[in-house]
Amino acid sequence: MRRLITTLILLALSRSVTANDSDTEDLTNLSIEELLNVEVISSSRLGQKTNQAPTSVSILTASDIRTFGWRTLADALNGMRGLFTANDRNYSFLGVRGFEKNDYNSRVLMMIDGLRMNENIYDTGNIAQEFMLDIDLVERIEYIPGSGSTIYGANAFLGFINVITKKGKAINGAQLAGEAGSFDTYKGRVSYGKQFDNGTDILFSASHYDSGGVENLYFPAHDNPASNNGIAHNMDTERADRLFGKVQFEDFTFSGGVVDRYKQVPTASYGQVFNDPDNHSVDRQYFGNINYQKALNDKSSLLLKGFYQGYDYQAKDIYNFNDTRTVSIDKTVGRWFGGEAQITTNVFDRHRLIFGLEYQYDLRQYQVNYDVDPYYQYLNTNRNGHRVEVFAQDDIQILDDLVFSAGLRFDYHHQIQHLPVNPRLGLIWNPLSSTTFKLLYSSTFRAPNAAQMDANLYYFGVNSKLQEEKIKSYESIVEWHSSDGLKLFGSLFYNHMEKLLGYNSDGYVANIDHYDAYGAESEAEKRWDNGRLLKASYTFSFLSDQLKDGARTTGSPQNVFKLHYAEPLFNNYAKLGVENIYIGNRKTEQGNLADAYDLINVNLTSDRLMQGLDVSLGVYNLLDSHYQMLGGGVNNILLMNGREFRVKLQVTF
């Protein structure tokens, strides 16, 4: 059953098919002048034009994803200004402007079509094969860094990422896709999308991913005869199944999805038996959402939303206690539901007002950990409670070329003692149609998640009263664009973070960490009418640990450089995408350095070989570098995979 989708697709691709022309909503081919006048429609609380929004906005489109051959959301985010990814051979982690703590992305708000995806146990924001969506269903990705995130609250600590799904009319028929890659990696997808004459738009999709992984992985920390000389053999298997559906009818949108992902864990970082094939983790997440959006009149609109979501996690870890093989089970169950109401109005001249209310009830936050035989229980907790957020924002057109934006948010959260109140202020000046200056300030918080609340109970039998983490963000921005497709961006930013959760000298989780982040970003982008693209970005950041006299903190690269080049070939018969990503060195917990690395990825695509057929060939890590990532536990540094290949065929009919 797991290989059914792939089998059907490979059979279908062996036939010649006829396809209808796709009616896509891709924005990449717009000129820079046009792109700057596209509203950030999905980010409804920032609904002005991008050059008038009180934040910086980075956008990737479906065409970018296809051109550069990004296989997951993590791949795409790794190509965005100011972001970088890491991996511990189980999960992928997102770094934001130098901050990366392998925190399961709990300090970044992840959304799909404006719906919060961070689950309610660890606040995980998944981005790789554990992410809800197949990357082929993504129409565009919006990234808003810290200064623009306050109005979205809690997990938008460092920023938020909104993934917008395609409409059915972008596929306009049935679509089959199959791909094969290095390390016995295969993926298949079946999708159907259509917009009917009455305006109803539907999209349904199912996909399966299966990878054998690297056959032999070497871990120096386990290099002894009793641990197979540090070689984990056939311990990198990963599988993921996804279902997604969306129906839009008049003012209503119904959507839902599920992802079920299995991953063997080869690292044995925390005392597990090394090279035991039973070490693995399973993640399952699902959601159902109903959205109602209605223009009340020519000046006001209403947004209503209701959702139900779930998350299940189970890890099986093998330990050796007193020469006895012991199976340990770590299990969590999260269930939550809620809704949102928002009114946007221009009823007052030169004002754009937003009022909103969010509610979430954490129905279940269940955690249990036990040994199977002999049975011994270490933890068994279940939390529940309310989250209520009220926000307001006023964008005031002081002058024709000057906007003052002021927002305020109040939060009640059942896992903290206080009632946080956080403002956001922005001054946006457009002295010329081509030039924008922005001065931004915001503050926000992150509540301790359920896992952190129970961490001390697990280790020490103590219930903790943890406080919320706090951040204040300051940023200045300049943007300039020409009429012929050149865009320049520059930014200076400072983030003051305090009361971050970490481990104190006694081993307890406590609000002890204090960081200051200083940095600058720049980006230049040029798009040509024939589809050529050249984009370069550079981020410098210094994340100082105030508990260590301002020393550079762990996991933080000071320098991140990215270069993207796309070139149409053979009179637009094919397109070449080249991506170069440089990540600077990073300090480890042990005080040494993980080396800087430079990734070059190349992808060639063509949709002209046969009507309805889209072919791509990708080479990832072209220079075959086994670059270094920071590990956890006994694994100080982990080596990543070398060169990888992927071929992908997609048929639409």
Side-chain angles (χ1 to χ4, degrees):
M1 194 63 190
R2 288 186 178 272
R3 301 186 183 273
L4 177 60
I5 296 174
T6 304
T7 303
L8 290 172
I9 289 169
L10 293 177
L11 287 173
L13 291 175
S14 67
R15 301 167 49 231
S16 175
V17 298
T18 301
N20 297 321
D21 293 335
S22 295
D23 181 14
T24 67
E25 297 184 323
D26 180 25
L27 302 173
T28 300
N29 293 324
L30 296 178
S31 70
I32 294 300
E33 187 74 33
E34 292 170 318
L35 188 59
L36 282 168
N37 288 288
V38 174
E39 284 195 340
V40 188
I41 298 169
S42 54
S43 300
S44 58
R45 301 173 206 177
L46 303 171
Q48 305 91 334
K49 299 170 186 176
T50 55
N51 66 334
Q52 294 180 358
T55 183
S56 60
V57 183
S58 295
I59 297 173
L60 296 175
T61 69
S63 182
D64 296 323
I65 293 170
R66 175 180 176 270
T67 297
F68 295 104
W70 293 319
R71 298 162 292 181
T72 64
L73 177 61
D75 282 351
L77 295 177
N78 204 34
M80 296 189 87
R81 179 185 74 234
L83 301 177
F84 63 98
T85 59
N87 185 279
D88 68 351
R89 292 204 170 273
N90 190 7
Y91 295 98
S92 291
F93 307 99
L94 187 64
V96 180
R97 290 179 166 179
F99 187 100
E100 199 284 298
K101 291 295 180 183
N102 286 21
D103 59 356
Y104 303 102
N105 309 322
S106 65
R107 295 180 175 94
V108 178
L109 177 61
M110 303 296 302
M111 297 187 293
I112 295 177
D113 293 329
L115 177 65
R116 181 184 187 272
M117 285 291 123
N118 299 68
E119 43 79 22
N120 73 339
I121 305 293
Y122 307 98
D123 280 340
T124 306
N126 291 317
I127 59 173
Q129 291 300 338
E130 61 275 16
F131 179 59
M132 179 71 66
L133 288 177
D134 190 300
I135 192 69
D136 289 336
L137 302 182
V138 175
E139 180 60 34
R140 69 193 226 145
I141 303 166
E142 299 169 350
Y143 159 56
I144 312 295
S147 294
S149 65
T150 297
I151 206 71
Y152 281 93
N155 289 103
F157 191 79
L158 300 172
F160 72 89
I161 291 161
N162 194 13
V163 178
I164 298 92
T165 58
K166 291 180 178 179
K167 292 184 178 181
K169 69 177 182 179
I171 295 177
N172 196 29
Q175 194 171 83
L176 303 179
E179 57 187 76
S182 303
F183 311 121
D184 291 323
T185 300
Y186 303 94
K187 179 185 165 187
R189 176 177 57 85
V190 178
S191 302
Y192 179 79
K194 187 175 179 61
Q195 186 178 67
F196 297 95
D197 293 340
N198 66 356
T200 301
D201 188 280
I202 65 171
L203 172 64
F204 297 100
S205 182
S207 66
H208 173 69
Y209 170 88
D210 197 321
S211 177
V214 182
E215 183 177 7
N216 292 304
L217 292 168
Y218 174 63
F219 298 91
H222 301 282
D223 192 351
N224 61 76
S227 298
N228 198 34
N229 298 311
I231 302 295
H233 180 67
N234 290 334
M235 282 287 298
D236 198 30
T237 299
E238 185 173 23
R239 296 188 294 270
D241 293 289
R242 294 180 179 85
L243 291 172
F244 176 77
K246 182 170 70 170
V247 177
Q248 291 180 280
F249 174 70
E250 294 183 349
D251 300 319
F252 290 92
T253 301
F254 307 88
S255 61
V258 60
V259 59
D260 191 338
R261 180 251 193 180
Y262 166 92
K263 179 66 174 72
Q264 278 186 304
V265 184
T267 53
S269 296
Y270 301 99
Q272 299 96 328
V273 174
F274 184 77
N275 199 38
D276 192 305
D278 281 345
N279 286 317
H280 71 268
S281 62
V282 176
D283 295 88
R284 181 183 298 109
Q285 191 168 356
Y286 60 86
F287 79 96
N289 180 50
I290 179 172
N291 194 81
Y292 175 78
Q293 193 160 5
K294 177 73 172 179
L296 301 177
N297 52 51
D298 60 349
K299 292 188 176 182
S300 302
S301 63
L302 173 68
L303 171 66
L304 299 175
K305 184 184 301 181
F307 60 85
Y308 181 86
Q309 295 177 261
Y311 171 71
D312 298 299
Y313 164 81
Q314 181 168 305
K316 186 176 182 180
D317 297 311
I318 311 303
Y319 294 93
N320 188 344
F321 291 149
N322 299 322
D323 295 326
T324 300
R325 186 176 186 271
T326 302
V327 178
S328 176
I329 301 296
D330 191 19
K331 181 178 180 181
T332 66
V333 178
R335 301 288 185 270
W336 64 102
F337 64 86
E340 176 185 342
Q342 178 181 311
I343 292 178
T344 304
T345 182
N346 296 309
V347 66
F348 299 107
D349 187 36
R350 305 181 77 86
H351 290 261
R352 179 179 181 269
L353 291 163
I354 302 175
F355 301 98
L357 171 68
E358 292 182 16
Y359 173 75
Q360 177 174 314
Y361 182 65
D362 290 324
L363 181 66
R364 194 174 189 196
Q365 296 172 302
Y366 174 66
Q367 300 178 79
V368 62
N369 181 271
Y370 60 90
D371 293 340
V372 175
D373 187 18
Y375 181 83
Y376 185 84
Q377 183 173 277
Y378 298 92
L379 179 71
N380 190 332
T381 63
N382 189 20
R383 296 176 177 271
N384 58 74
H386 305 271
R387 308 185 192 191
V388 182
E389 300 91 23
V390 179
F391 60 89
Q393 180 174 298
D394 187 5
D395 298 326
I396 308 168
Q397 193 82 43
I398 299 175
L399 301 172
D400 290 344
D401 60 359
L402 185 65
V403 174
F404 176 64
S405 178
L408 194 64
R409 183 178 176 108
F410 301 84
D411 287 82
Y412 168 82
H413 196 301
H414 67 97
Q415 289 175 184
I416 58 177
Q417 307 293 317
H418 305 91
L419 184 68
V421 179
N422 289 285
R424 184 183 69 177
L425 303 173
L427 193 62
I428 302 101
W429 182 37
N430 293 280
L432 301 171
S433 61
S434 61
T435 308
T436 302
F437 296 93
K438 301 179 182 181
L439 292 175
L440 308 172
Y441 166 78
S442 68
S443 69
T444 191
F445 76 102
R446 186 190 76 107
N449 57 51
Q452 290 170 324
M453 296 288 286
D454 291 335
N456 293 334
L457 181 63
Y458 174 82
Y459 289 108
F460 303 105
V462 175
N463 275 302
S464 299
K465 292 184 178 180
L466 303 177
Q467 300 179 45
E468 69 274 19
E469 301 177 341
K470 297 181 179 181
I471 183 172
K472 293 181 179 179
S473 297
Y474 306 81
E475 185 170 9
S476 61
I477 296 170
V478 58
E479 299 172 349
W480 178 87
H481 67 276
S482 70
S483 59
D484 62 352
L486 176 62
K487 179 182 176 182
L488 301 178
F489 171 90
S491 169
L492 297 174
F493 61 87
Y494 167 64
N495 294 323
H496 175 75
M497 294 170 272
E498 60 183 7
K499 295 187 177 180
L500 269 64
L501 292 163
Y503 289 95
N504 63 22
S505 58
D506 296 323
Y508 286 84
V509 175
N511 295 92
I512 60 168
D513 289 336
H514 176 183
Y515 300 107
D516 285 328
Y518 310 83
E521 281 186 350
S522 61
E523 185 172 69
E525 178 180 333
K526 167 73 172 175
R527 293 182 186 266
W528 285 261
D529 292 339
N530 67 351
R532 180 182 296 123
L533 164 69
L534 180 61
K535 181 167 68 172
S537 69
Y538 171 69
T539 300
F540 170 82
S541 59
F542 185 83
L543 188 65
S544 65
D545 189 339
Q546 298 306 303
L547 295 183
K548 297 180 180 179
D549 299 321
R552 178 184 171 194
T553 192
T554 60
S556 177
Q558 287 184 270
N559 300 287
V560 174
F561 174 77
K562 301 177 182 181
L563 180 67
H564 291 85
Y565 177 70
E567 179 68 31
L569 304 174
F570 313 116
N571 196 27
N572 281 318
Y573 197 84
K575 194 170 189 179
L576 178 68
V578 180
E579 176 180 52
N580 183 204
I581 297 175
Y582 173 84
I583 307 295
N585 60 32
R586 293 131 290 145
K587 284 180 63 176
T588 70
E589 292 289 348
Q590 291 76 13
N592 54 347
L593 290 176
D595 293 338
Y597 62 90
D598 196 44
L599 286 180
I600 299 177
N601 304 318
V602 180
N603 191 61
L604 183 66
T605 62
S606 177
D607 58 3
R608 301 277 296 276
L609 297 175
M610 184 175 67
Q611 188 177 15
L613 176 64
D614 197 330
V615 180
S616 68
L617 174 64
V619 183
Y620 305 89
N621 192 2
L622 180 67
L623 302 182
D624 196 26
S625 169
H626 291 273
Y627 54 100
Q628 298 178 344
M629 292 289 184
L630 271 62
V634 299
N635 295 301
N636 185 14
I637 291 174
L638 299 174
L639 298 180
M640 296 292 103
N641 299 344
R643 187 183 299 114
E644 298 182 37
F645 299 89
R646 182 191 72 160
V647 60
K648 177 183 177 183
L649 304 177
Q650 177 179 286
V651 175
T652 305
F653 58 95

